[in-house]
């Protein structure tokens, strides 16, 4: 599966279009990670636990989008965008969407 | 009295350790940016460098969550009383953005260029929720692998 965030796939020709596909995950805080983050809060700097959490949920959202595109018979997704929104206190959604296409 | 001493200790720890960690992070960012200057990135959707042959292209991402230190958070709180530029958050956002873009570049060794770069900022663990002033940065773009056309170019 080719995934890009440009309108076209560089070096390839789009022959068929299947419409918008999307994937999302909602993630919440983790108590253990929160305690470490509380300590880190004094010194500042990177919150590694949260970075990992962000990476995992982003990968999962991408995977869900890819699965949906594969079901439609596409072999590429173009014009991918990431978006985040807060749904409740302490929880947020990572949403990824793009256009499923077939390339030569 | 004990609470006050604790507060002062946290302030001093935040000021000295936080300042040291931040300057170390900035020097690491500057060094890695100098190393990765050979991999150009653009937020235009068109290719920055003309390519002779494109092997493949893929979505690349880089993300980071960075928190502010205690001292700066208190200073920012005081600043919000009188208004004006909040410098302590400016450096936080600056280092987070540059780190996210660096991670995106580091995730694709061998690429010729990254086009259509977008940067997304969010904060779910905000100050209203649990008092952690942290910011989440996600940078993403399309990395292009292949052979660069032999021109003097950029």
């Amino acid at each position: 599966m080719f995934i890009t965030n440009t309108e076209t796939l560089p070096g390839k020709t789009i022959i068929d279009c299947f419409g918008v596909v999307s994937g999302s995950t909602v993630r919440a805080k983790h108590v253990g990670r929160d305690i470490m983050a509380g300590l880190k809060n004094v010194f500042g700097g990177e919150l590694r636990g949260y970075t990992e959490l962000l990476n995992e949920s982003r990968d999962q959202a991408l995977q869900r989008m890819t699965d949906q595109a594969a079901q439609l018979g596409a072999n590429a997704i173009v014009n991918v965008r990431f978006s985040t929104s807060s749904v409740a206190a302490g929880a947020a959604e990572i949403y990824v969407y793009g256009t499923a296409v077939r390339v030569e | 009295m004990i609470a006050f001493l604790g507060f002062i200790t946290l302030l001093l720890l935040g000021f000295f350790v936080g300042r040291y960690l931040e300057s170390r992070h900035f020097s690491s960012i500057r060094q890695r940016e100098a190393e990765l200057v050979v991999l150009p990135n653009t937020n235009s959707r068109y290719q920055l460098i003309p390519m002779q042959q494109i092997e493949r292209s893929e979505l690349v991402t880089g993300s980071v969550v960075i928190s502010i230190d205690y001292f700066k958070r208190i200073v920012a709180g005081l600043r919000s009383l009188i208004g004006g530029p909040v410098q302590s958050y400016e450096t936080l956002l600056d280092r987070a953005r540059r780190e996210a873009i660096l991670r995106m570049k580091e995730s694709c060794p061998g690429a010729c260029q990254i086009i259509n770069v977008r940067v997304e900022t969010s904060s779910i663990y905000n100050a209203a929720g649990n008092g952690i002033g942290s910011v989440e940065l996600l940078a993403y773009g399309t990395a292009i692998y292949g052979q660069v056309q032999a021109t003097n170019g950029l």
Side-chain angles (χ1 to χ4, degrees):
Chain A
M1 187 71 78
F2 303 103
I3 303 176
T4 68
N5 72 338
T6 51
E7 286 88 346
T8 55
L9 198 58
K12 297 261 198 302
T13 318
I14 294 171
I15 52 171
D16 206 357
C17 181
F18 297 94
V20 173
V21 287
S22 60
S24 72
T25 45
V26 177
R27 64 230 155 83
K29 291 182 287 192
H30 182 290
V31 178
R33 279 170 173 160
D34 233 29
I35 291 166
M36 281 308 291
L39 288 176
K40 206 66 179 175
N41 207 6
V42 175
F43 303 123
E46 186 184 352
L47 308 174
R48 277 179 213 285
Y50 285 166
T51 306
E52 274 166 34
L53 184 67
L54 185 62
N55 281 337
E56 282 162 20
S57 34
R58 193 189 59 213
D59 287 346
Q60 196 177 18
L62 271 173
Q63 187 57 47
R64 284 180 184 170
M65 180 178 72
T66 315
D67 289 348
Q68 199 189 338
Q71 249 177 19
L72 293 169
N75 64 355
I77 304 170
V78 295
N79 214 6
V80 170
R81 293 284 180 272
F82 284 95
S83 170
T84 48
S85 57
S86 290
V87 286
E93 184 190 23
I94 279 201
Y95 180 56
V96 57
Y97 57 101
T99 307
V101 293
R102 172 174 286 281
V103 294
E104 270 169 354
Chain B
M1 188 63 199
I2 289 170
F4 181 70
L5 277 177
F7 174 72
I8 293 293
T9 314
L10 284 179
L11 265 189
L12 289 175
L13 268 179
F15 183 75
F16 289 108
V17 183
R19 174 163 291 209
Y20 168 71
L21 289 176
E22 189 182 74
S23 68
R24 206 174 61 170
H25 189 205
F26 265 122
S27 66
S28 140
I29 285 176
R30 273 192 290 271
Q31 191 201 338
R32 281 150 66 211
E33 270 178 353
E35 282 168 11
L36 285 166
V37 81
V38 290
L39 173 59
N41 57 349
T42 172
N43 61 351
S44 151
R45 60 187 155 153
Y46 302 110
Q47 287 169 30
L48 202 60
I49 303 172
M51 302 287 287
Q52 199 168 40
Q53 195 205 342
I54 293 172
E55 274 171 26
R56 65 194 168 93
S57 55
E58 64 173 6
L59 186 75
V60 287
T61 54
S63 57
V64 68
V65 182
I66 290 191
S67 155
I68 198 169
D69 65 57
Y70 195 81
F71 177 77
K72 287 192 165 184
R73 207 147 43 83
I74 298 295
V75 168
L78 291 177
R79 190 46 136 164
S80 67
L81 292 177
I82 52 169
V86 189
Q87 224 169 28
S88 45
Y89 278 111
E90 282 171 9
T91 56
L92 172 77
L93 285 163
D94 183 40
R95 66 200 260 222
R97 292 228 165 87
R98 286 161 77 175
E99 177 74 34
I101 289 175
L102 278 172
R103 285 190 184 179
M104 179 186 71
K105 281 183 163 190
E106 280 163 359
S107 74
C108 54
C112 295
Q113 57 182 330
I114 305 177
I115 61 170
N116 213 15
V117 174
R118 297 282 181 272
V119 180
E120 186 84 26
T121 313
S122 68
S123 166
I124 64 165
Y125 312 104
N126 58 5
N130 55 8
I132 296 176
S134 67
V135 63
E136 301 176 344
L137 259 294
L138 168 64
Y140 59 103
T142 301
I144 297 183
Y145 297 79
Q147 273 184 343
V148 178
Q149 232 170 49
T151 54
N152 47 2
L154 287 149

